Amino acid sequence: MAIQFEQALQDYPHQRAGAARQPDGVDQSDRRVPINLRQSGPTPVEMLISTRVRKSPYWHLSYEAGCWRATVYNRMYHPRGYVHPEDGGAMVEYDSLVHDVTLWNVAVERQIQVKGPDAEAFVNYVITRDATRIKPMRGKYVILCNEDGGILNDPVLLRIAEDEFWFSLSDSDLELWLRGVNLGKRFDVSIAEIDVAPVQIQGPKSEALMVDLFGDEVRQLPYYGLMAGQVAGHDVIVSQTGFTGEKGYEIYLRDATLHAEDLWYTVLRAGEPHNLRVIAPAHHRRIAAGILSWGQDIDQETLPFQCNLAYQVPRNKEADYIGKAHLEAVRAQIEAGQPPFRQIMVGLAFGGTPVTDYANDFWLISESPGADAVGYVTSPWYSPELQSNIALGYVPYELRHLGTAVTVKLPPEYAAPDGSLEVAATVVEVPFRPSVNPNARERARSKGIDFAD
């Protein structure tokens, strides 16, 4: 049944929400719980701030800095806007990111510590990449899968010491999974969330700001390298990482509950000569870099082969890990021309009014105007550099090839100048824009291989 949400007016959100229906043209028969594809629109509802959801050590500081909206991430309030829409909104924050330097409260990246004599063996069993190749004071972007190959989390993994790792989480309860795994495996490790809260320092002037905080040593820090330091006399770990394709760092504050204000205000003062702005995580830039958001682009039913993460499944890891047998069987099916899934992620460039804020729904994709939906958009935004809307989305496997023409069904607020809600889209290469530091997938591709160690 075709969706008739186009008839609902922006000024009547209840009518628009009430008109939303789940499309039956998008084949999700390979999922146990289909993605909710109803187009219910913005549905303005105030978030209840209470003790049931945690406030991070930086929450009050974010509010003081102008945070006006938030979401919930890892059961914490997560700032998602500082500049109001009438003042330019998220695109003003984007300008600061790509031209100056920005400070993000990302304490929702909760740190799960795995420590003990078997730490390397345990971590190697729960991630797909080879943990034995991660040296102390280095990190990697990794995925953890369940026994069916579904992605449970895609954290940055920090190796703090020979016997200590930190999982810097995306949005799922990984600590519960890790503890459950070890109930059966009995590795000699401790597993716990620790009082460490990171902030991100992102943008082309980030290195200059970090030099002011930590000295010239930070210039030598490699991509995914770590160094110990202090801010305002408090111990931190610094990494050259981040949720953008820009130059950037993360500062992981130990005993964050006690020292959050000292770190926050010290960074703000150091940032003044660099035109520092406090902003929300820059999804516009991470989409352009091809960086995924767990819960939005992927979940526990998504296989790495469906979402540009095939490189996270190495062909040369001898040790067993959770999901290995299933993932290797899936790869064999794909190489035989019989993938065991219906939808695959692609990059899209599409028309319409510039998308300058978060989407309220997974917008639908059809093969042509007026046709039933066959896929859906997960992460859309406007790219000023490309002068185009861009998106990550899922389409039927046979529509995955670059240059394939499809149609994106937009909500009224992003209609084309002629009022059309169905706009032309083209499957394009991901990443949409190069990053300052190419990721492991892009480095592997440049070497002519399809996996990373």
Side-chain angles (χ1 to χ4, degrees), residues 27-89:
D27 188 347
Q28 299 191 70
S29 58
D30 53 351
R31 291 184 61 94
R32 293 181 177 85
V33 181
I35 303 292
N36 185 345
L37 299 178
R38 294 173 178 84
Q39 306 295 298
S40 57
T43 54
V45 175
E46 181 177 325
M47 178 183 292
L48 172 65
I49 305 295
S50 72
T51 54
R52 190 174 183 278
V53 177
R54 292 166 57 182
K55 294 176 178 176
S56 80
Y58 307 126
W59 170 251
H60 61 300
L61 301 167
S62 294
Y63 181 68
E64 180 184 61
C67 171
W68 63 275
R69 68 178 176 183
T71 187
V72 174
Y73 188 112
N74 275 332
R75 289 176 286 114
M76 273 186 175
Y77 297 109
H78 186 25
R80 283 298 179 91
Y82 289 84
V83 179
H84 286 264
E86 59 270 27
D87 297 321

Side-chain angles (χ1 to χ4, degrees), residues 34-292:
I35 303 292
N36 185 345
L37 299 178
R38 294 173 178 84
Q39 306 295 298
S40 57
T43 54
V45 175
E46 181 177 325
M47 178 183 292
L48 172 65
I49 305 295
S50 72
T51 54
R52 190 174 183 278
V53 177
R54 292 166 57 182
K55 294 176 178 176
S56 80
Y58 307 126
W59 170 251
H60 61 300
L61 301 167
S62 294
Y63 181 68
E64 180 184 61
C67 171
W68 63 275
R69 68 178 176 183
T71 187
V72 174
Y73 188 112
N74 275 332
R75 289 176 286 114
M76 273 186 175
Y77 297 109
H78 186 25
R80 283 298 179 91
Y82 289 84
V83 179
H84 286 264
E86 59 270 27
D87 297 321
M91 298 312 291
V92 171
E93 298 183 16
Y94 181 86
D95 284 341
S96 292
L97 171 69
V98 299
H99 294 117
D100 295 315
V101 60
T102 59
L103 168 63
W104 308 5
N105 168 5
V106 289
V108 295
E109 297 171 6
R110 293 160 54 190
Q111 305 301 303
I112 307 302
Q113 180 197 60
V114 176
K115 184 175 175 58
D118 292 342
E120 181 183 273
F122 176 79
V123 170
N124 204 35
Y125 183 63
V126 297
I127 68 172
T128 60
R129 297 180 72 178
D130 191 343
T132 68
R133 294 175 179 267
I134 306 174
K135 298 176 181 178
M137 297 306 284
R138 295 300 299 265
K140 279 187 178 180
Y141 172 64
V142 301
I143 60 172
L144 299 89
C145 294
N146 59 29
E147 66 277 19
D148 297 326
I151 301 169
L152 296 173
N153 202 284
D154 63 330
V156 170
L157 176 64
L158 312 177
R159 187 166 194 169
I160 304 301
E162 190 69 31
D163 65 346
E164 182 178 0
F165 293 80
W166 295 354
F167 287 95
S168 187
L169 299 188
S170 59
D171 190 12
S172 70
D173 282 323
L174 196 62
E175 179 184 357
L176 306 182
W177 169 258
L178 297 178
R179 286 177 177 269
V181 168
N182 208 35
L183 278 177
K185 301 302 289 188
R186 299 292 182 185
F187 286 94
D188 186 3
V189 294
S190 62
I191 301 167
E193 182 180 354
I194 53 177
D195 187 16
V196 171
V199 296
Q200 292 202 13
I201 310 294
Q202 301 288 311
K205 298 179 182 176
S206 59
E207 182 176 295
L209 169 56
M210 295 295 281
V211 167
D212 288 348
L213 287 170
F214 297 101
D216 281 332
E217 181 185 0
V218 79
R219 295 187 193 277
Q220 308 307 316
L221 193 63
Y223 192 40
Y224 278 94
L226 313 180
M227 62 173 274
Q230 286 195 327
V231 175
H234 307 303
D235 292 334
V236 302
I237 296 291
V238 174
S239 64
Q240 195 200 150
T241 51
F243 197 55
T244 73
E246 301 295 323
K247 182 81 170 184
Y249 300 85
E250 292 179 86
I251 304 175
Y252 297 79
L253 175 63
R254 296 178 185 265
D255 297 321
T257 304
L258 300 176
H259 307 309
E261 292 83 359
D262 289 347
L263 179 136
W264 185 268
Y265 291 128
T266 299
V267 173
L268 286 184
R269 284 192 295 271
E272 286 178 2
H274 305 287
N275 207 22
L276 175 76
R277 181 192 289 271
V278 181
I279 71 167
H283 281 252
H284 13 34
R285 187 62 183 95
R286 72 92 180 162
I287 295 167
I291 299 172
L292 305 183

Side-chain angles (χ1 to χ4, degrees), residues 405-428:
V406 294
T407 297
V408 172
K409 300 172 182 288
L410 295 172
E413 56 268 32
Y414 293 121
D418 66 358
S420 174
L421 297 177
E422 294 189 305
V423 297
T426 305
V427 176
V428 299

Side-chain angles (χ1 to χ4, degrees), residues 307-441:
C307 58
N308 295 325
L309 293 182
Y311 76 95
Q312 289 272 344
V313 185
R315 294 178 184 269
N316 60 350
K317 181 175 176 178
E318 294 183 1
D320 193 20
Y321 59 85
I322 299 174
K324 180 179 183 181
H326 191 83
L327 289 170
E328 291 186 346
V330 169
R331 178 154 54 199
Q333 289 177 273
I334 295 170
E335 291 175 351
Q338 296 178 323
F341 48 82
R342 316 288 185 193
Q343 303 276 328
I344 191 166
M345 176 178 283
V346 296
L348 295 168
F350 63 100
T353 299
V355 178
T356 56
D357 207 349
Y358 296 96
N360 303 120
D361 298 300
F362 296 102
W363 301 337
L364 302 176
I365 300 170
S366 61
E367 290 192 64
S368 60
D372 283 346
V374 295
Y376 54 96
V377 168
T378 57
S379 292
W381 216 286
Y382 178 70
S383 170
E385 294 81 5
L386 300 176
Q387 295 284 294
S388 173
N389 287 325
I390 59 174
L392 301 171
Y394 285 88
V395 298
Y397 189 75
E398 57 272 19
L399 299 183
R400 70 190 184 282
H401 300 290
L402 298 181
T404 300
V406 294
T407 297
V408 172
K409 300 172 182 288
L410 295 172
E413 56 268 32
Y414 293 121
D418 66 358
S420 174
L421 297 177
E422 294 189 305
V423 297
T426 305
V427 176
V428 299
E429 188 85 59
V430 176
F432 300 87
R433 291 182 55 215
S435 299
V436 171
N437 293 300
N439 68 20
R441 174 185 58 225

